[in-house]
Amino acid sequence: MYNDFKEKINENPPLKSAVLGVETLWINPKHKPFLLADMDLNLGAEDIAEADARLHRFAPFFVRAFPETALTDGLIESPLSAIPNMQGFLEEHYGVHIDGQLLIKLDSHLPIAGSVKARGGIYEILCHTEKLALAHGIIVKNDSYAALCEHSSFFSKYQIHVGSTGNLGLSIGIISAKIGYQVTVHMSREAKAWKKQMLREHGVTVLEYDVDFSAAVTLGRQISEAEENSHFVDDENSTDLFMGYAVAAEWLRAQLELRDITVDDTHPLFVYLPCGVGGAPGGITFGLKHIFGDNVHSFFVEPTQCPSMLFGMASSLHDGISVNDVGLSGITHADGLAVSRPSKLVGKLMDPLLSGIFTISDYLLYNHMRELYATENIFIEPSAAAAFAGPIGLESFLDGRAYIESCKMREHMENATHIVWATGGNLVPSTNREEFLNTYL
Ligand SMILES: *Cc1c(COP(=O)(O)O)cnc(C)c1O
C-alpha cells in the first residue's frame, strides 16, 4: 500500500508539494454528492439529534456550575462575526480577491475552555457522567441535571484520563474536576506551561512527557486501563467526541438565518477548519453536511510540517501512515495541530464529505494572528489562525479554481459566504499573548 502511495506522489503535484513541506491545496478525489455519501455512513442525523438533546438536558447544570453559560441558556456556544476589515486587508496584502463575505466563527471564545475542545471534550464527559448518574439513581432522565452540582463526592470515586497537546486537556480537565472526578491529563511535549499550570490550579493531575501526541495518547490509555473505575477519553477514535463537535452546525444555521444569509444552490458556503487529529473539524463538517448538503464546501488546514490528515486520506492508509513516514518532522508552532498520525474514524468518515485540505507555513500563523488582532481587535492563538489559509488560497491555487468550476460555482461566487473557524485563544494569558504577538519566524 505504501509503495502505491509513493507512486501516486509523483503523479500528483499538490501531494508532492505536501511531501516536500511546501504550501499546497489537495482536492479530495473521493468527495461525493451528499445524498450518496449519506447512504454509506454509519452515523447520521439521529446521532446528531441525540447529542443535541443530551446537551440540552445538561443545560441547567451548566447555568449553575458555569454561570458564564447563562448567556446562551446553558449551551456551550460562540458568536459568529463579520470581519470586513480583515477581508479587505487580506485582499490588499495578499493580492487575492475574496468573492462574497468573510465571517469568523469564534470557538476561540467558547465558554469554559476557550477553544473548540469545549465542544467535543466536554460532550464526551457528559455522556460518561449521564450513564454513571442514571445507573446510580443520582439523576432521573427528564429531571433537571442541575442537581449534579451536589454529587462531587460520588464522582470522586471515578477517574478520567486523557492524552493531549494542551487544549483537549484543558477542556476535559476543567469539566471533569468541576463534576468531581479524579482527572489526569497526559501532556505531550507541545503543551504550553500556562496550560499545565491552569489545570493544576483546577485540581487536575498533569503528567508531562517528552513525546508527541500519539505517544502521549498511548501512554494515557495504558495507565487508564490499569486502573479501576477509569474512563479514557480517546481523541483518536471516540464517536462521542465527534458528535459533540457535530452539533455546532445547528446553532450556526440559526446564526446565519439571523444575519439573513442564505445558503442554497446559488449561495455557496465555504468553511475552513484547522485540523489536528481530525475530530473537531471532522465532526463540524459532518454536522454541516447534514444541514447544508452539497451547498457547503468544507476544507481543513494543516501545518506544512504536519499534514497528517492529508496523507492519511490521500493514501487511504488513514492511521496507517504518519508524517514522519514521508520525511516530515511533525514539528510546528501550531500546538493544537501537532498530530503526526490522523484519526482513522474521522478520515474514513471524511472520505466522501471533505472538499480538500490546505497546508500553511508556521510563520503565516503568526502573521494572520497579528493581522486579525490589528484589523478587528480579535485575539486568537496561532493554531486557530491556520484557517485563514482557506480564503486566501481558494482562488490562488489552480486546483482551488478548478474545484469551483467543477462544482459549477463560478457564477455564484459573488454570493458566497466564507467562514474561518477560529478554534482557540481566549484563555491565553496576557503575557503569552504579548509573546505570540511579537513572534516573527
Ligand atoms: C484541537 C485543536 C484543533 C483541531 O482539532 P482536532 O480534533 O485535533 O483535529 C484546532 N485548533 C485548536 C486551537 C485546537 O486546540
Side-chain angles (χ1 to χ4, degrees):
M1 264 284 252
Y2 184 50
N3 282 335
D4 293 354
F5 181 54
K6 278 199 198 143
E7 271 171 31
K8 245 192 239 167
I9 293 171
N10 282 323
E11 294 157 11
N12 186 327
L15 206 52
K16 190 158 191 182
S17 301
V19 170
L20 295 172
V22 173
E23 283 170 14
T24 190
L25 164 59
W26 170 78
I27 296 291
N28 174 18
K30 294 187 184 163
H31 182 214
K32 282 190 195 166
F34 181 66
L35 277 179
L36 288 180
D38 193 32
M39 292 193 305
D40 297 338
L41 295 171
N42 51 8
L43 292 168
E46 331 70 74
D47 302 289
I48 305 175
E50 187 187 318
D52 196 49
R54 180 167 292 114
L55 285 163
H56 278 86
R57 290 199 290 279
F58 273 93
F61 162 77
F62 280 105
V63 172
R64 194 188 297 177
F66 298 94
E68 71 265 34
T69 62
L71 286 172
T72 43
D73 297 326
L75 294 178
I76 300 159
E77 261 309 334
S78 74
L80 176 70
S81 299
I83 42 173
N85 300 331
M86 180 66 167
Q87 182 170 359
F89 177 86
L90 293 177
E91 293 189 305
E92 199 174 316
H93 191 77
Y94 295 93
V96 294
H97 182 61
I98 303 171
D99 265 331
Q101 193 185 11
L102 183 63
L103 302 175
I104 190 166
K105 178 63 175 163
L106 291 168
D107 276 6
S108 46
H109 292 63
L110 279 173
I112 304 170
S115 85
V116 70
K117 304 295 193 308
R119 296 186 183 277
I122 290 178
Y123 178 70
E124 165 135 353
I125 298 301
L126 301 186
C127 291
H128 183 63
T129 300
E130 187 177 48
K131 251 182 250 155
L132 281 177
L134 289 175
H136 290 83
I138 285 176
I139 47 173
V140 177
K141 199 151 180 178
N142 291 311
D143 258 18
S144 171
Y145 285 7
L148 283 172
C149 295
E150 287 127 36
H151 290 279
S152 58
S153 64
F154 167 79
F155 291 104
S156 70
K157 294 179 296 210
Y158 295 88
Q159 294 191 34
I160 302 283
H161 288 259
V162 65
S164 174
T165 65
N167 283 342
L168 183 65
L170 269 186
S171 144
I172 299 282
I174 293 172
I175 183 71
S176 302
K178 185 66 131 191
I179 293 172
Y181 292 105
Q182 296 174 50
V183 49
T184 304
V185 177
H186 303 265
M187 287 289 203
S188 68
R189 62 177 163 230
E190 292 80 18
K192 302 267 188 265
W194 68 265
K195 292 184 184 174
K196 298 175 196 168
Q197 191 192 331
M198 189 177 282
L199 280 171
R200 289 182 173 127
E201 283 162 11
H202 278 87
V204 174
T205 304
V206 179
L207 300 181
E208 303 171 52
Y209 307 96
D210 187 23
V211 299
D212 76 0
F213 171 74
S214 308
V217 168
T218 304
L219 287 164
R221 189 187 286 122
Q222 282 167 356
I223 292 173
S224 178
E225 279 168 2
E227 298 285 337
E228 255 178 78
N229 291 336
S230 180
H231 177 72
F232 180 67
V233 178
D234 189 344
D235 198 19
E236 292 174 332
N237 294 298
S238 164
T239 316
D240 284 342
L241 264 171
F242 188 79
M243 284 303 151
Y245 292 117
V247 297
E250 190 56 49
W251 188 278
L252 182 74
R253 179 213 325 242
Q255 286 177 319
L256 289 171
E257 273 170 18
L258 268 178
R259 291 178 165 269
D260 281 327
I261 293 175
T262 308
V263 179
D264 64 15
D265 292 350
T266 57
H267 297 77
L269 174 62
F270 292 83
V271 181
Y272 309 101
L273 300 137
C275 176
V277 76
I284 292 167
T285 295
F286 184 83
L288 290 170
K289 281 282 168 187
H290 277 85
I291 291 180
F292 300 110
D294 296 329
N295 299 321
V296 62
H297 306 268
S298 182
F299 290 87
F300 292 175
V301 186
E302 299 189 293
T304 45
Q305 281 298 318
C306 203
S308 51
M309 187 60 74
L310 196 165
F311 292 136
M313 289 183 69
S315 65
S316 304
L317 293 170
H318 297 294
D319 63 336
I321 189 166
S322 117
V323 297
N324 305 126
D325 297 338
V326 302
L328 295 180
S329 71
I331 293 172
T332 167
H333 284 241
D335 50 340
L337 316 182
V339 178
S340 57
R341 197 180 284 282
S343 157
K344 177 175 175 176
L345 167 84
V346 176
K348 290 195 170 161
L349 285 165
M350 287 302 105
D351 270 340
L353 301 179
L354 190 68
S355 295
I357 302 180
F358 292 92
T359 65
I360 184 170
S361 304
D362 276 18
Y363 80 95
L364 280 171
L365 303 174
Y366 290 101
N367 290 359
H368 297 329
M369 178 198 69
R370 266 189 291 276
E371 292 155 8
L372 183 67
Y373 189 62
T375 57
E376 304 283 352
N377 199 25
I378 298 173
F379 178 83
I380 62 175
E381 62 187 85
S383 298
F388 285 103
I392 297 171
L394 184 66
E395 298 268 11
S396 357
F397 287 106
L398 276 179
D399 286 1
R401 294 209 286 275
Y403 175 84
I404 292 171
E405 301 295 340
S406 75
C407 303
K408 308 208 166 23
M409 277 300 124
R410 172 54 65 208
E411 60 181 313
H412 306 304
M413 287 308 284
E414 62 184 12
N415 305 326
T417 301
H418 303 266
I419 297 181
V420 293
W421 210 283
T423 45
N426 201 36
L427 291 192
V428 178
S430 57
T431 48
N432 301 74
R433 283 185 193 209
E434 281 306 309
E435 195 186 311
F436 281 153
L437 289 167
N438 289 300
T439 300
Y440 294 83
L441 298 181

mmCIF file with all atom_site columns, all heavy atoms in Angstrom, residues 13 27 51 56 87 113 118 178 184 214 265 290 323 354 415 429 433:
data_model
loop_
_atom_site.group_PDB
_atom_site.id
_atom_site.type_symbol
_atom_site.label_atom_id
_atom_site.label_alt_id
_atom_site.label_comp_id
_atom_site.label_asym_id
_atom_site.label_entity_id
_atom_site.label_seq_id
_atom_site.pdbx_PDB_ins_code
_atom_site.Cartn_x
_atom_site.Cartn_y
_atom_site.Cartn_z
_atom_site.occupancy
_atom_site.B_iso_or_equiv
_atom_site.pdbx_formal_charge
_atom_site.auth_seq_id
_atom_site.auth_comp_id
_atom_site.auth_asym_id
_atom_site.auth_atom_id
_atom_site.pdbx_PDB_model_num
ATOM 1   N N   . PRO A 1 13  ? 0.873   16.686 -8.258  1.00 0.00 ? 13  PRO A N   1
ATOM 2   C CA  . PRO A 1 13  ? 1.688   17.815 -7.791  1.00 0.00 ? 13  PRO A CA  1
ATOM 3   C C   . PRO A 1 13  ? 1.322   18.356 -6.393  1.00 0.00 ? 13  PRO A C   1
ATOM 4   O O   . PRO A 1 13  ? 2.239   18.623 -5.609  1.00 0.00 ? 13  PRO A O   1
ATOM 5   C CB  . PRO A 1 13  ? 1.485   18.879 -8.882  1.00 0.00 ? 13  PRO A CB  1
ATOM 6   C CG  . PRO A 1 13  ? 1.081   18.107 -10.098 1.00 0.00 ? 13  PRO A CG  1
ATOM 7   C CD  . PRO A 1 13  ? 0.341   16.908 -9.604  1.00 0.00 ? 13  PRO A CD  1
ATOM 8   N N   . ILE A 1 27  ? -7.093  18.558 -3.355  1.00 0.00 ? 27  ILE A N   1
ATOM 9   C CA  . ILE A 1 27  ? -8.539  18.371 -3.527  1.00 0.00 ? 27  ILE A CA  1
ATOM 10  C C   . ILE A 1 27  ? -8.837  16.878 -3.380  1.00 0.00 ? 27  ILE A C   1
ATOM 11  O O   . ILE A 1 27  ? -8.129  16.034 -3.939  1.00 0.00 ? 27  ILE A O   1
ATOM 12  C CB  . ILE A 1 27  ? -9.002  18.901 -4.907  1.00 0.00 ? 27  ILE A CB  1
ATOM 13  C CG1 . ILE A 1 27  ? -8.774  20.427 -4.990  1.00 0.00 ? 27  ILE A CG1 1
ATOM 14  C CG2 . ILE A 1 27  ? -10.450 18.550 -5.187  1.00 0.00 ? 27  ILE A CG2 1
ATOM 15  C CD1 . ILE A 1 27  ? -9.668  21.272 -4.102  1.00 0.00 ? 27  ILE A CD1 1
ATOM 16  N N   . ALA A 1 51  ? -27.162 13.871 20.371  1.00 0.00 ? 51  ALA A N   1
ATOM 17  C CA  . ALA A 1 51  ? -26.146 14.679 21.053  1.00 0.00 ? 51  ALA A CA  1
ATOM 18  C C   . ALA A 1 51  ? -26.720 16.034 21.439  1.00 0.00 ? 51  ALA A C   1
ATOM 19  O O   . ALA A 1 51  ? -26.495 16.542 22.547  1.00 0.00 ? 51  ALA A O   1
ATOM 20  C CB  . ALA A 1 51  ? -24.922 14.852 20.157  1.00 0.00 ? 51  ALA A CB  1
ATOM 21  N N   . HIS A 1 56  ? -28.863 19.691 25.721  1.00 0.00 ? 56  HIS A N   1
ATOM 22  C CA  . HIS A 1 56  ? -29.984 20.451 26.299  1.00 0.00 ? 56  HIS A CA  1
ATOM 23  C C   . HIS A 1 56  ? -30.349 19.930 27.696  1.00 0.00 ? 56  HIS A C   1
ATOM 24  O O   . HIS A 1 56  ? -30.681 20.706 28.577  1.00 0.00 ? 56  HIS A O   1
ATOM 25  C CB  . HIS A 1 56  ? -31.201 20.436 25.366  1.00 0.00 ? 56  HIS A CB  1
ATOM 26  C CG  . HIS A 1 56  ? -31.102 21.458 24.266  1.00 0.00 ? 56  HIS A CG  1
ATOM 27  N ND1 . HIS A 1 56  ? -30.446 21.206 23.081  1.00 0.00 ? 56  HIS A ND1 1
ATOM 28  C CD2 . HIS A 1 56  ? -31.533 22.747 24.195  1.00 0.00 ? 56  HIS A CD2 1
ATOM 29  C CE1 . HIS A 1 56  ? -30.487 22.301 22.317  1.00 0.00 ? 56  HIS A CE1 1
ATOM 30  N NE2 . HIS A 1 56  ? -31.140 23.236 22.972  1.00 0.00 ? 56  HIS A NE2 1
ATOM 31  N N   . GLN A 1 87  ? -11.013 41.090 5.870   1.00 0.00 ? 87  GLN A N   1
ATOM 32  C CA  . GLN A 1 87  ? -11.229 40.682 4.473   1.00 0.00 ? 87  GLN A CA  1
ATOM 33  C C   . GLN A 1 87  ? -10.533 41.663 3.526   1.00 0.00 ? 87  GLN A C   1
ATOM 34  O O   . GLN A 1 87  ? -9.804  41.259 2.620   1.00 0.00 ? 87  GLN A O   1
ATOM 35  C CB  . GLN A 1 87  ? -12.730 40.611 4.165   1.00 0.00 ? 87  GLN A CB  1
ATOM 36  C CG  . GLN A 1 87  ? -13.017 40.148 2.742   1.00 0.00 ? 87  GLN A CG  1
ATOM 37  C CD  . GLN A 1 87  ? -14.492 39.840 2.499   1.00 0.00 ? 87  GLN A CD  1
ATOM 38  O OE1 . GLN A 1 87  ? -15.329 39.950 3.397   1.00 0.00 ? 87  GLN A OE1 1
ATOM 39  N NE2 . GLN A 1 87  ? -14.817 39.448 1.278   1.00 0.00 ? 87  GLN A NE2 1
ATOM 40  N N   . ALA A 1 113 ? -13.614 26.463 28.239  1.00 0.00 ? 113 ALA A N   1
ATOM 41  C CA  . ALA A 1 113 ? -12.279 26.025 27.828  1.00 0.00 ? 113 ALA A CA  1
ATOM 42  C C   . ALA A 1 113 ? -11.612 26.932 26.798  1.00 0.00 ? 113 ALA A C   1
ATOM 43  O O   . ALA A 1 113 ? -10.452 26.721 26.468  1.00 0.00 ? 113 ALA A O   1
ATOM 44  C CB  . ALA A 1 113 ? -12.333 24.593 27.293  1.00 0.00 ? 113 ALA A CB  1
ATOM 45  N N   . ALA A 1 118 ? -14.014 22.688 23.797  1.00 0.00 ? 118 ALA A N   1
ATOM 46  C CA  . ALA A 1 118 ? -15.148 22.801 24.728  1.00 0.00 ? 118 ALA A CA  1
ATOM 47  C C   . ALA A 1 118 ? -16.377 22.101 24.150  1.00 0.00 ? 118 ALA A C   1
ATOM 48  O O   . ALA A 1 118 ? -17.332 21.823 24.862  1.00 0.00 ? 118 ALA A O   1
ATOM 49  C CB  . ALA A 1 118 ? -15.458 24.262 25.021  1.00 0.00 ? 118 ALA A CB  1
ATOM 50  N N   . LYS A 1 178 ? -14.711 19.889 37.824  1.00 0.00 ? 178 LYS A N   1
ATOM 51  C CA  . LYS A 1 178 ? -15.922 20.564 38.322  1.00 0.00 ? 178 LYS A CA  1
ATOM 52  C C   . LYS A 1 178 ? -16.974 19.535 38.741  1.00 0.00 ? 178 LYS A C   1
ATOM 53  O O   . LYS A 1 178 ? -17.628 19.666 39.769  1.00 0.00 ? 178 LYS A O   1
ATOM 54  C CB  . LYS A 1 178 ? -16.474 21.478 37.215  1.00 0.00 ? 178 LYS A CB  1
ATOM 55  C CG  . LYS A 1 178 ? -17.652 22.308 37.632  1.00 0.00 ? 178 LYS A CG  1
ATOM 56  C CD  . LYS A 1 178 ? -17.248 23.322 38.681  1.00 0.00 ? 178 LYS A CD  1
ATOM 57  C CE  . LYS A 1 178 ? -17.754 24.690 38.332  1.00 0.00 ? 178 LYS A CE  1
ATOM 58  N NZ  . LYS A 1 178 ? -17.195 25.758 39.155  1.00 0.00 ? 178 LYS A NZ  1
ATOM 59  N N   . THR A 1 184 ? -6.724  12.988 35.268  1.00 0.00 ? 184 THR A N   1
ATOM 60  C CA  . THR A 1 184 ? -5.297  13.036 34.928  1.00 0.00 ? 184 THR A CA  1
ATOM 61  C C   . THR A 1 184 ? -5.148  13.369 33.448  1.00 0.00 ? 184 THR A C   1
ATOM 62  O O   . THR A 1 184 ? -5.764  12.713 32.593  1.00 0.00 ? 184 THR A O   1
ATOM 63  C CB  . THR A 1 184 ? -4.630  11.663 35.186  1.00 0.00 ? 184 THR A CB  1
ATOM 64  O OG1 . THR A 1 184 ? -4.869  11.308 36.548  1.00 0.00 ? 184 THR A OG1 1
ATOM 65  C CG2 . THR A 1 184 ? -3.124  11.732 34.934  1.00 0.00 ? 184 THR A CG2 1
ATOM 66  N N   . SER A 1 214 ? 0.546   11.347 19.649  1.00 0.00 ? 214 SER A N   1
ATOM 67  C CA  . SER A 1 214 ? 0.119   9.943  19.508  1.00 0.00 ? 214 SER A CA  1
ATOM 68  C C   . SER A 1 214 ? 0.695   9.092  20.633  1.00 0.00 ? 214 SER A C   1
ATOM 69  O O   . SER A 1 214 ? 0.006   8.235  21.196  1.00 0.00 ? 214 SER A O   1
ATOM 70  C CB  . SER A 1 214 ? 0.569   9.383  18.159  1.00 0.00 ? 214 SER A CB  1
ATOM 71  O OG  . SER A 1 214 ? 0.167   10.242 17.118  1.00 0.00 ? 214 SER A OG  1
ATOM 72  N N   . ASP A 1 265 ? -28.430 26.552 -3.598  1.00 0.00 ? 265 ASP A N   1
ATOM 73  C CA  . ASP A 1 265 ? -27.699 26.177 -4.822  1.00 0.00 ? 265 ASP A CA  1
ATOM 74  C C   . ASP A 1 265 ? -26.950 27.339 -5.462  1.00 0.00 ? 265 ASP A C   1
ATOM 75  O O   . ASP A 1 265 ? -25.982 27.125 -6.201  1.00 0.00 ? 265 ASP A O   1
ATOM 76  C CB  . ASP A 1 265 ? -28.677 25.619 -5.873  1.00 0.00 ? 265 ASP A CB  1
ATOM 77  C CG  . ASP A 1 265 ? -29.252 24.289 -5.440  1.00 0.00 ? 265 ASP A CG  1
ATOM 78  O OD1 . ASP A 1 265 ? -28.747 23.726 -4.444  1.00 0.00 ? 265 ASP A OD1 1
ATOM 79  O OD2 . ASP A 1 265 ? -30.212 23.825 -6.086  1.00 0.00 ? 265 ASP A OD2 1
ATOM 80  N N   . HIS A 1 290 ? -24.930 17.600 7.044   1.00 0.00 ? 290 HIS A N   1
ATOM 81  C CA  . HIS A 1 290 ? -26.296 17.143 7.294   1.00 0.00 ? 290 HIS A CA  1
ATOM 82  C C   . HIS A 1 290 ? -27.297 18.285 7.197   1.00 0.00 ? 290 HIS A C   1
ATOM 83  O O   . HIS A 1 290 ? -28.485 18.048 7.014   1.00 0.00 ? 290 HIS A O   1
ATOM 84  C CB  . HIS A 1 290 ? -26.403 16.438 8.655   1.00 0.00 ? 290 HIS A CB  1
ATOM 85  C CG  . HIS A 1 290 ? -25.991 15.014 8.568   1.00 0.00 ? 290 HIS A CG  1
ATOM 86  N ND1 . HIS A 1 290 ? -24.678 14.606 8.675   1.00 0.00 ? 290 HIS A ND1 1
ATOM 87  C CD2 . HIS A 1 290 ? -26.712 13.888 8.314   1.00 0.00 ? 290 HIS A CD2 1
ATOM 88  C CE1 . HIS A 1 290 ? -24.608 13.299 8.510   1.00 0.00 ? 290 HIS A CE1 1
ATOM 89  N NE2 . HIS A 1 290 ? -25.823 12.838 8.287   1.00 0.00 ? 290 HIS A NE2 1
ATOM 90  N N   . VAL A 1 323 ? 3.255   11.454 9.427   1.00 0.00 ? 323 VAL A N   1
ATOM 91  C CA  . VAL A 1 323 ? 4.007   12.419 8.611   1.00 0.00 ? 323 VAL A CA  1
ATOM 92  C C   . VAL A 1 323 ? 5.499   12.087 8.631   1.00 0.00 ? 323 VAL A C   1
ATOM 93  O O   . VAL A 1 323 ? 6.218   12.408 7.686   1.00 0.00 ? 323 VAL A O   1
ATOM 94  C CB  . VAL A 1 323 ? 3.775   13.886 9.062   1.00 0.00 ? 323 VAL A CB  1
ATOM 95  C CG1 . VAL A 1 323 ? 2.316   14.260 8.892   1.00 0.00 ? 323 VAL A CG1 1
ATOM 96  C CG2 . VAL A 1 323 ? 4.237   14.123 10.479  1.00 0.00 ? 323 VAL A CG2 1
ATOM 97  N N   . LEU A 1 354 ? -15.391 15.594 2.584   1.00 0.00 ? 354 LEU A N   1
ATOM 98  C CA  . LEU A 1 354 ? -14.458 16.724 2.615   1.00 0.00 ? 354 LEU A CA  1
ATOM 99  C C   . LEU A 1 354 ? -14.085 17.190 1.213   1.00 0.00 ? 354 LEU A C   1
ATOM 100 O O   . LEU A 1 354 ? -13.844 16.374 0.323   1.00 0.00 ? 354 LEU A O   1
ATOM 101 C CB  . LEU A 1 354 ? -13.187 16.303 3.367   1.00 0.00 ? 354 LEU A CB  1
ATOM 102 C CG  . LEU A 1 354 ? -12.212 17.434 3.693   1.00 0.00 ? 354 LEU A CG  1
ATOM 103 C CD1 . LEU A 1 354 ? -12.820 18.370 4.714   1.00 0.00 ? 354 LEU A CD1 1
ATOM 104 C CD2 . LEU A 1 354 ? -10.889 16.872 4.215   1.00 0.00 ? 354 LEU A CD2 1
ATOM 105 N N   . ASN A 1 415 ? -21.990 35.509 -4.365  1.00 0.00 ? 415 ASN A N   1
ATOM 106 C CA  . ASN A 1 415 ? -22.954 35.277 -3.271  1.00 0.00 ? 415 ASN A CA  1
ATOM 107 C C   . ASN A 1 415 ? -22.378 34.390 -2.176  1.00 0.00 ? 415 ASN A C   1
ATOM 108 O O   . ASN A 1 415 ? -23.109 33.943 -1.293  1.00 0.00 ? 415 ASN A O   1
ATOM 109 C CB  . ASN A 1 415 ? -24.193 34.537 -3.796  1.00 0.00 ? 415 ASN A CB  1
ATOM 110 C CG  . ASN A 1 415 ? -24.841 35.249 -4.955  1.00 0.00 ? 415 ASN A CG  1
ATOM 111 O OD1 . ASN A 1 415 ? -24.830 36.469 -4.997  1.00 0.00 ? 415 ASN A OD1 1
ATOM 112 N ND2 . ASN A 1 415 ? -25.397 34.490 -5.900  1.00 0.00 ? 415 ASN A ND2 1
ATOM 113 N N   . PRO A 1 429 ? -3.072  33.564 28.561  1.00 0.00 ? 429 PRO A N   1
ATOM 114 C CA  . PRO A 1 429 ? -2.795  34.671 29.485  1.00 0.00 ? 429 PRO A CA  1
ATOM 115 C C   . PRO A 1 429 ? -2.118  35.843 28.760  1.00 0.00 ? 429 PRO A C   1
ATOM 116 O O   . PRO A 1 429 ? -1.476  35.650 27.724  1.00 0.00 ? 429 PRO A O   1
ATOM 117 C CB  . PRO A 1 429 ? -1.821  34.058 30.498  1.00 0.00 ? 429 PRO A CB  1
ATOM 118 C CG  . PRO A 1 429 ? -1.951  32.588 30.349  1.00 0.00 ? 429 PRO A CG  1
ATOM 119 C CD  . PRO A 1 429 ? -2.352  32.337 28.930  1.00 0.00 ? 429 PRO A CD  1
ATOM 120 N N   . ARG A 1 433 ? 0.108   36.186 25.287  1.00 0.00 ? 433 ARG A N   1
ATOM 121 C CA  . ARG A 1 433 ? -0.410  36.906 24.106  1.00 0.00 ? 433 ARG A CA  1
ATOM 122 C C   . ARG A 1 433 ? 0.648   37.837 23.561  1.00 0.00 ? 433 ARG A C   1
ATOM 123 O O   . ARG A 1 433 ? 0.909   37.871 22.358  1.00 0.00 ? 433 ARG A O   1
ATOM 124 C CB  . ARG A 1 433 ? -1.624  37.762 24.481  1.00 0.00 ? 433 ARG A CB  1
ATOM 125 C CG  . ARG A 1 433 ? -2.850  36.960 24.636  1.00 0.00 ? 433 ARG A CG  1
ATOM 126 C CD  . ARG A 1 433 ? -4.056  37.854 24.891  1.00 0.00 ? 433 ARG A CD  1
ATOM 127 N NE  . ARG A 1 433 ? -5.122  36.964 25.324  1.00 0.00 ? 433 ARG A NE  1
ATOM 128 C CZ  . ARG A 1 433 ? -6.413  37.169 25.151  1.00 0.00 ? 433 ARG A CZ  1
ATOM 129 N NH1 . ARG A 1 433 ? -6.821  38.288 24.587  1.00 0.00 ? 433 ARG A NH1 1
ATOM 130 N NH2 . ARG A 1 433 ? -7.285  36.294 25.551  1.00 0.00 ? 433 ARG A NH2 1
#
